[in-house]
Amino acid sequence: MIEEGSKSSKSMVEKRQLFMEMRAQNFDVIRLSTYRTACKLRFVQKRCNLHLVDVWNMIEAFRDNGLSTLDHNVEINVSRLETILSSIFYQLNKRLPTTHQINVDQSIGLLLNFIVATYDSEGHGKLTVFAMKAMLATMCGGKILDKLRYIFSQISDSNGVMVFAKFDQFLREVLKLPTAVFEGPSFGYTEHSVRTCFPQQKKILLNTFLDVLMADPPPQCLVWLPLMHRLANVENVFHPVECSYCQSESMMGFRYRCQQCHGYQLCQSCFWRGHASGPHSNQHQMKEHSSWKSPAKKLSHAISKSLGCMPMGEPPHPVFPEAAERPQDLAHTTTLESPSRLDEEHRLIARYAARLAAEASNSTQCPPTDLSFNFDANKQQRQLIAELENKNREILQEIQRLRLEHEQASQPTPEKAQQNPTLLAELRLLRHRKDELERRMSALQESRRELMVQLEGLMRLLKDEEQKQAVQTGSSPHSSPSHSASCTMPMPIRSTSAGSTPTHTPQDCLARVGDDVLDAFSQGVPRNLRNDLLVAADSITNTMSSLVKELHSVDDGLEDEERNMRNGREKVSSLKHSGKRHSTPSF
């Protein structure tokens, strides 16, 4: 008993959940009943995810669940209704991307409770097929034109003429939706609802039906239906205009412009709540705008309209043929579970198979000799192709083998060199000679660098001597002999810091300079320093000349060694191919 009580209380909470959420949106502050009703039904549509189901998908769901063959007055229970809703939302999730999947169980529960509260207020647990079709076709997504065409197919006869009794039944069912959202006093069903839509009893075809329900304004009892679709279309429309009441710099949704107050515009929130400021009054006529046009576009539109470049009165919908057309009825379609449907499919498959067999027997056939000839020709071609493929594989294998042998011959391995002692001795001698030449080259490069450093120091000494002579002649009285005698030449390799003290002598600075330079500074008083430096420069020049010769000789030696190494490699190759032993070449 406790479990049953908890289940019933949970069921009551689920039934009231949608209405509680709707009350939390505070739609009742909207002063106009038309906008209030449209906003509430739009909220129910989006909360139950019905706006994601197109009207054509809804028609397909009716057909798949066998509702197209049932009479409109047949009643279905809540469990079958839940099955139908489950198929609708599960098919919806298959069409949606994985990142936009919906909660199927929640959507089914909310919509099922709303339908039961709307059409089974007395708690019988049943509702008619027509009521469910009218409700789902009205509340689903899609274009209003497609919805009205489907509704007309359900309320018209075989000649394409509307049956007033069926249209009255449609109004009776569809006007329960405003009543369910507590707007029954404004849009509830009355016995005069049909007369308000079609005052004159006459033959109503599809185009007339669409003209009446899509007119501006539509019938009073259904004025909320096109407004609900306009709300869906303008939810993300942006207007770069300032609201004259709340001073908001931009508007989303509808925009309302006063026809009497110049430049007075209101956002949809202020207009719905009846806000007004300044000379504007709520009694003034307001024009609803669902899009924004710049002044330039407005001017071009007005010019085009005045010049007759665009039609003055466009029809609200395309004109359909007057002949009876029932593309949305689908009454001829049977259910998938029906045994007659399966038998009909089997007969249809058998008929197609018999037709294909007859076409195959009636088609032109080649003589047996031609068939055998074609078969033999194809066989010979296949054999030729197979032989060519085998030869191609053999050629590729031979190319790969020759390539490997060539690589092995051009790159002798150490194992093969160890098998020939003469070749191994030649290789060791070549490596030793190469190392010796590299050491000699390094020594010559070091000597050259030291000579260049000495020459730079001598040039600095020559400059200091010229400054000293200028001081002695009296051009610079602040100079001191001790300072002029100091040496600033940096020493190569083992040189000390650049800031030498005055106690250093020229002999200390020329510790690594050649003999000719030392003779120039060997006496206490320097002799003709310019001549001595020229002698030192000649000595350095001679040394550089000898160094250049040494470098040339080294280059010649390297060329000889490279030539010998190349001869050695050729001899290694000849030894490999001939297999004979040769004497060691002389270097």
Side-chain angles (χ1 to χ4, degrees):
M1 296 294 293
I2 297 176
E3 293 181 356
E4 293 179 357
S6 61
K7 289 182 180 180
S8 61
S9 61
K10 182 179 179 181
S11 177
M12 291 296 295
V13 171
E14 292 177 351
K15 289 181 180 179
R16 297 176 181 176
Q17 178 181 356
L18 184 63
F19 297 100
M20 293 173 62
E21 293 179 0
M22 184 179 64
R23 287 183 181 275
Q25 298 296 320
N26 199 20
F27 291 121
D28 291 332
V29 299
I30 301 176
R31 64 186 183 94
L32 300 176
S33 60
T34 304
Y35 287 98
R36 190 168 59 244
T37 304
C39 289
K40 290 181 178 180
L41 292 178
R42 175 62 178 170
F43 172 80
V44 173
Q45 183 191 45
K46 294 181 65 176
R47 188 66 181 87
C48 297
N49 290 315
L50 278 175
H51 67 295
L52 301 175
V53 184
D54 192 80
V55 61
W56 301 108
N57 301 129
M58 193 65 71
I59 296 171
E60 183 181 1
F62 296 159
R63 180 197 62 194
D64 293 341
N65 288 275
L67 300 181
S68 300
T69 58
L70 296 179
D71 187 81
H72 287 173
N73 297 323
V74 174
E75 294 183 343
I76 59 175
N77 53 25
V78 178
S79 60
R80 185 172 182 183
L81 174 61
E82 185 176 2
T83 303
I84 296 171
L85 298 181
S86 300
S87 67
I88 292 173
F89 287 112
Y90 278 112
Q91 290 297 325
L92 171 63
N93 252 359
K94 292 180 180 180
R95 296 189 298 269
L96 293 176
T98 55
T99 56
H100 293 76
Q101 297 287 301
I102 64 170
N103 189 339
V104 175
D105 295 334
Q106 185 182 24
S107 300
I108 294 172
L110 292 175
L111 183 57
L112 181 64
N113 291 329
F114 179 76
I115 294 176
V116 171
T118 303
Y119 295 98
D120 189 27
S121 58
E122 297 180 359
H124 297 298
K126 294 182 179 181
L127 71 159
T128 62
V129 173
F130 185 74
M132 189 189 64
K133 284 185 177 182
M135 184 271 172
L136 293 177
T138 303
M139 293 296 293
C140 69
K143 299 180 180 179
I144 186 173
L145 177 64
D146 297 332
K147 292 183 180 182
L148 294 177
R149 289 182 62 194
Y150 173 72
I151 292 170
F152 185 80
S153 68
Q154 301 297 306
I155 61 175
S156 58
D157 57 13
S158 58
N159 296 321
V161 180
M162 187 187 74
V163 179
F164 280 88
K166 292 184 178 181
F167 179 68
D168 181 75
Q169 184 181 3
F170 167 74
L171 291 180
R172 189 186 300 272
E173 302 296 342
V174 78
L175 291 181
K176 291 181 181 179
L177 294 173
T179 304
V181 293
F182 315 106
E183 298 295 335
S186 300
F187 301 104
Y189 172 79
T190 62
E191 296 180 356
H192 306 286
S193 298
V194 178
R195 296 181 182 177
T196 58
C197 297
F198 300 98
Q200 300 178 358
Q201 298 290 334
K202 59 181 180 179
K203 184 179 180 180
I204 305 298
L205 300 177
L206 175 60
N207 292 318
T208 306
F209 179 79
L210 296 177
D211 290 339
V212 172
L213 295 187
M214 296 184 66
D216 188 17
Q220 180 61 30
C221 61
L222 295 174
V223 68
W224 51 270
L225 180 58
L227 179 58
M228 186 176 68
H229 287 80
R230 295 203 307 273
L231 279 174
N233 295 331
V234 301
E235 284 181 348
N236 299 319
V237 174
F238 175 78
H239 305 268
V241 181
E242 181 181 357
C243 179
S244 300
Y245 181 83
C246 65
Q247 307 301 320
S248 176
E249 296 181 355
S250 60
M251 303 180 188
M252 293 294 292
F254 286 120
R255 174 172 56 92
Y256 298 90
R257 186 182 186 90
C258 182
Q259 300 299 300
Q260 299 181 16
C261 303
H262 177 70
Y264 193 89
Q265 301 187 78
L266 293 176
C267 62
Q268 67 177 19
S269 179
C270 294
F271 176 75
W272 289 354
R273 286 161 175 77
H275 295 160
S277 60
H280 177 71
S281 172
N282 290 331
Q283 305 300 324
H284 292 180
Q285 185 180 2
M286 302 289 287
K287 185 177 181 180
E288 180 184 280
H289 295 273
S290 58
S291 62
W292 162 256
K293 292 182 180 179
S294 63
K297 288 185 178 181
K298 291 180 180 178
L299 179 60
S300 62
H301 180 81
I303 293 174
S304 300
K305 189 174 181 180
S306 61
L307 295 177
C309 298
M310 57 185 304
M312 298 297 293
E314 296 181 358
H317 62 84
V319 179
F320 298 96
E322 294 294 340
E325 182 183 9
R326 299 169 61 87
Q328 295 86 14
D329 192 0
L330 302 177
H332 61 282
T333 309
T334 58
T335 61
L336 293 175
E337 296 82 2
S338 176
S340 60
R341 167 70 179 273
L342 297 177
D343 295 340
E344 183 180 355
E345 288 182 354
H346 291 164
R347 288 194 298 270
L348 185 61
I349 294 172
R351 186 161 55 250
Y352 285 158
R355 182 181 300 175
L356 291 174
E359 291 178 357
S361 61
N362 294 332
S363 61
T364 58
Q365 299 180 357
C366 296
T369 56
D370 296 340
L371 292 176
S372 61
F373 174 77
N374 292 334
F375 178 76
D376 294 339
N378 293 334
K379 184 176 181 180
Q380 292 177 0
Q381 291 178 358
R382 287 194 297 269
Q383 291 177 355
L384 180 60
I385 292 172
E387 292 176 359
L388 292 176
E389 289 179 352
N390 292 331
K391 290 182 179 180
N392 187 30
R393 283 193 294 269
E394 293 176 359
I395 293 172
L396 291 176
Q397 292 175 1
E398 183 67 18
I399 292 173
Q400 185 68 19
R401 184 181 63 80
L402 294 174
R403 184 178 297 169
L404 293 175
E405 290 181 357
H406 177 70
E407 292 178 356
Q408 292 175 0
S410 61
Q411 297 180 359
T413 59
E415 290 79 4
K416 294 183 178 180
Q418 292 178 1
Q419 294 176 3
N420 194 340
T422 304
L423 181 61
L424 185 60
E426 291 178 357
L427 291 175
R428 281 200 297 266
L429 183 60
L430 289 173
R431 283 196 293 268
H432 179 71
R433 182 63 175 167
K434 180 181 178 182
D435 295 339
E436 183 180 355
L437 290 174
E438 289 178 353
R439 287 194 299 271
R440 189 176 178 185
M441 175 64 75
S442 299
L444 291 174
Q445 293 288 348
E446 181 65 24
S447 299
R448 182 180 181 184
R449 188 178 67 83
E450 291 181 359
L451 289 174
M452 295 300 294
V453 173
Q454 290 176 5
L455 180 60
E456 182 182 0
L458 290 174
M459 296 302 295
R460 291 182 181 178
L461 285 174
L462 179 60
K463 184 178 181 180
D464 292 342
E465 182 64 22
E466 291 178 353
Q467 292 179 358
K468 179 180 178 182
Q469 293 177 0
V471 170
Q472 290 177 356
T473 57
S475 60
S476 179
H478 297 285
S479 301
S480 62
S482 62
H483 179 72
S484 63
S486 63
C487 178
T488 60
M489 181 184 68
M491 298 301 295
I493 303 175
R494 297 192 187 93
S495 62
T496 58
S497 61
S500 303
T501 60
T503 59
H504 290 177
T505 62
Q507 287 77 8
D508 297 333
C509 297
L510 300 175
R512 296 177 59 89
V513 182
D515 296 336
D516 294 331
V517 180
L518 290 174
D519 293 340
F521 294 93
S522 59
Q523 301 178 0
V525 178
R527 55 185 179 180
N528 191 352
L529 186 60
R530 184 180 299 278
N531 296 331
D532 295 336
L533 288 175
L534 292 175
V535 172
D538 293 336
S539 177
I540 292 173
T541 303
N542 295 331
T543 306
M544 291 298 295
S545 299
S546 63
L547 178 62
V548 171
K549 293 179 181 179
E550 288 288 339
L551 291 176
H552 284 298
S553 64
V554 170
D555 293 337
D556 295 337
L558 288 175
E559 291 179 358
D560 295 338
E561 295 300 332
E562 289 179 358
R563 190 182 303 108
N564 293 333
M565 291 175 68
R566 186 163 53 253
N567 295 332
R569 285 195 295 269
E570 292 177 356
K571 185 172 291 185
V572 169
S573 178
S574 63
L575 286 174
K576 178 184 178 301
H577 290 288
S578 62
K580 298 179 181 181
R581 307 174 68 89
H582 295 277
S583 61
T584 306
S586 60
F587 292 93

